[in-house]
Amino acid sequence: MNKKREKKLHGIIDRLKEDLSQISDMYISEIQEVLDEEQEYFDTMPANLQEGERGERAKEFIDTMETLVGELEELYDTLSVDFLRGE
């Protein structure tokens, strides 16, 4: 690859990393907001409701959203590392 195309490719990769960062931050932030609301809902439930069907559904949702946030962060980290290596 000549210097001109290599420079152009690095510019594209830099823009892509920036876009991925913004997108990742935006989605993670929005999901985290919903997650926090659901966690607050669960935490303020009376103990008998926490142990019932409503509490179970809320807890499952919280666990799923925590997993999703973790996977999105991991995906972004993986893509960033690969791009930094030039792969």
Side-chain angles (χ1 to χ4, degrees), residues 56-67:
E56 287 296 318
R57 281 196 321 249
K59 191 63 179 149
E60 286 176 18
F61 178 80
I62 291 165
D63 291 344
T64 301
M65 291 301 99
E66 287 174 341
T67 299

Side-chain angles (χ1 to χ4, degrees), residues 1-86:
M1 175 181 310
N2 70 23
K3 296 276 184 194
K4 182 178 179 181
R5 285 191 297 273
E6 185 176 352
K7 183 176 179 180
K8 184 177 181 178
L9 181 59
H10 283 286
I12 293 167
I13 290 171
D14 287 344
R15 289 192 329 264
L16 182 55
K17 284 191 308 186
E18 184 177 322
D19 290 347
L20 284 172
S21 175
Q22 291 173 0
I23 290 169
S24 176
D25 289 347
M26 178 183 67
Y27 285 116
I28 289 172
S29 175
E30 289 179 13
I31 293 168
Q32 189 64 51
E33 183 179 322
V34 173
L35 174 58
D36 291 344
E37 290 171 5
E38 189 70 10
Q39 184 67 57
E40 183 178 338
Y41 167 73
F42 179 80
D43 291 344
T44 58
M45 269 185 190
N48 64 328
L49 290 180
Q50 285 181 353
E51 296 170 9
E53 186 179 334
R54 285 176 136 180
E56 287 296 318
R57 281 196 321 249
K59 191 63 179 149
E60 286 176 18
F61 178 80
I62 291 165
D63 291 344
T64 301
M65 291 301 99
E66 287 174 341
T67 299
L68 177 59
V69 167
E71 289 177 358
L72 285 171
E73 289 171 339
E74 185 177 330
L75 174 63
Y76 173 73
D77 291 344
T78 299
L79 290 173
S80 292
V81 169
D82 289 346
F83 286 137
L84 289 172
R85 289 187 198 149

